[in-house]
Amino acid sequence: NHTRISEFILVGFRSPSGSQLFLSVLFSTMYLVTVVGNICMILIIRTDSNLHTPMYFFLENLSTLDICYSSVITPRATLAFSLGRRNISYNSCASQMFFFSLFGTTEAFFLAAMAYDRFTAICNPLLYQVIMSKRLCVLMVMGSYLSGCINCTIQTGFTFSLSFCGSKEINHFFCDVAAVIQASCSDTFVNELVMLVVCGSIIVGTALVVFISYGYIIITIIRMPSAESRHRAFSTCSSHTMTICLFFGTAFFTYAQPGATSSPSKSKTISIFYTIVIPMLNPFIYTLRNKEVKGSLKKQLKR
């Protein structure tokens, strides 16, 4: 029989009260930078007609997604660190897991779509506008969200079908799938297998699209006759590759390998990167590594 409980307790990081205050200030500062940075990125793209291209359409959607992604986790974690409010209701925990899985999965598909966009722009430049039509871009964004919905429904449904009895502690600072599974008193073999197969398939599948796209991109860049052309082509991809390495690297070590639930402390540390650090860094990566965005930003500041 399933034991219905009313709330969980998020353990967070076991550290002295001084460290908890430091984490609260750190998380709140990073969240503020994330929101402001991504809003600025959205405004820059929307106000500059030169940036109304497929690449920046995806980038605008990525910035919106990063705000939502970080907002699901960081504000509640900050309150827990600052006020000691570690209790989270059963339904709130399920909702947090649902939306975290939704936005996290969607971001993986977004990055794959952006890799395909760069592949088309560099390897098929003459057909770029035809292939990357507005309709296709919208369909790719909708497909990414649909894939996210399917995964988060599976993960949340399977996880909250478990029994929870005895200790209600979740050894994490948010309701991550692996941490909630570990808090259950049921046999979790099927849940861990589902998480490994589904999340592993998503991460490996989207990563393959990225690696194959960039394989062709690298070959095409090497074959370009002039150094200037090679430099220009590489500069349009460098910011995207940095985001890909950060996101897929941390996601793989957390969800796509056996024994993902066996090391809570490592999982908590790594999860800071993909829930808080990466959404904060993305606007800076795409601004500092992109001449078009920097040029548009300078125009906006002059105005």
Side-chain angles (χ1 to χ4, degrees):
N1 294 325
H2 292 181
T3 304
R4 176 73 178 186
I5 63 173
S6 59
E7 64 180 16
F8 294 102
I9 300 171
L10 296 171
V11 173
F13 292 92
R14 298 183 188 275
S15 55
S17 56
S19 299
Q20 297 292 313
L21 180 60
F22 170 76
L23 287 171
S24 174
V25 173
L26 180 64
F27 274 42
S28 58
T29 302
M30 293 172 76
Y31 178 64
L32 181 63
V33 173
T34 299
V35 173
V36 173
N38 281 287
I39 287 175
C40 287
M41 180 63 74
I42 293 168
L43 292 175
I44 289 168
I45 294 171
R46 288 195 175 184
T47 54
D48 191 339
S49 58
N50 294 323
L51 301 181
H52 293 175
T53 62
M55 182 175 79
Y56 294 104
F57 172 76
F58 288 121
L59 186 53
E60 180 185 345
N61 278 278
L62 180 65
S63 291
T64 304
L65 187 69
D66 279 340
I67 293 172
C68 298
Y69 190 36
S70 187
S71 296
V72 171
I73 307 298
T74 317
R76 179 178 283 277
T78 302
L79 285 174
F81 292 136
S82 60
L83 303 178
R85 294 180 181 174
R86 302 181 183 278
N87 293 18
I88 182 170
S89 70
Y90 183 92
N91 291 333
S92 295
C93 187
S95 298
Q96 188 181 57
M97 182 185 293
F98 181 90
F99 286 107
F100 164 72
S101 299
L102 168 64
F103 296 132
T105 306
T106 303
E107 181 146 348
F109 281 93
F110 268 13
L111 293 174
M114 292 170 74
Y116 177 75
D117 170 74
R118 290 300 82 208
F119 159 75
T120 309
I122 293 171
C123 300
N124 296 292
L126 298 178
L127 297 174
Y128 178 64
Q129 295 297 333
V130 177
I131 296 173
M132 296 303 296
S133 62
K134 187 173 182 179
R135 181 174 178 272
L136 178 62
C137 292
V138 171
L139 286 174
M140 289 174 83
V141 169
M142 291 174 64
S144 297
Y145 275 104
L146 178 61
S147 301
C149 281
I150 293 171
N151 181 48
C152 68
T153 301
I154 292 171
Q155 297 297 340
T156 308
F158 267 85
T159 302
F160 283 89
S161 66
L162 294 170
S163 298
F164 298 94
C165 45
S167 175
K168 299 182 292 183
E169 288 189 348
I170 295 175
N171 193 8
H172 217 300
F173 61 89
F174 70 96
C175 289
D176 189 24
V177 179
V180 177
I181 288 175
Q182 197 176 42
S184 171
C185 55
S186 302
D187 181 3
T188 61
F189 174 77
V190 173
N191 293 74
E192 292 184 42
L193 184 63
V194 167
M195 185 180 73
L196 178 64
V197 171
V198 177
C199 293
S201 299
I202 291 168
I203 294 167
V204 173
T206 51
L208 274 176
V209 172
V210 171
F211 293 142
I212 291 170
S213 297
Y214 273 95
Y216 281 106
I217 288 169
I218 291 168
I219 293 169
T220 303
I221 290 175
I222 291 171
R223 290 176 177 174
M224 288 179 176
S226 68
E228 184 182 349
S229 298
R230 290 195 294 270
H231 177 74
R232 187 166 57 249
F234 178 75
S235 66
T236 63
C237 300
S238 58
S239 55
H240 187 225
T241 53
M242 290 175 68
T243 302
I244 286 168
C245 291
L246 286 168
F247 182 84
F248 283 105
T250 53
F252 177 81
F253 283 109
T254 307
Y255 299 106
Q257 60 174 336
T261 62
S262 61
S263 181
S265 58
K266 184 179 76 173
S267 178
K268 283 187 282 188
T269 304
I270 294 174
S271 64
I272 292 175
F273 284 91
Y274 61 80
T275 58
I276 301 170
V277 176
I278 294 174
M280 179 188 70
L281 290 180
N282 278 348
F284 295 99
I285 291 172
Y286 283 101
T287 301
L288 298 175
R289 302 287 300 178
N290 191 302
K291 290 182 179 180
E292 290 178 322
V293 175
K294 283 194 287 187
S296 179
L297 180 59
K298 288 177 181 177
K299 288 180 184 177
Q300 298 296 331
L301 291 174
K302 285 179 181 179
R303 289 178 185 176

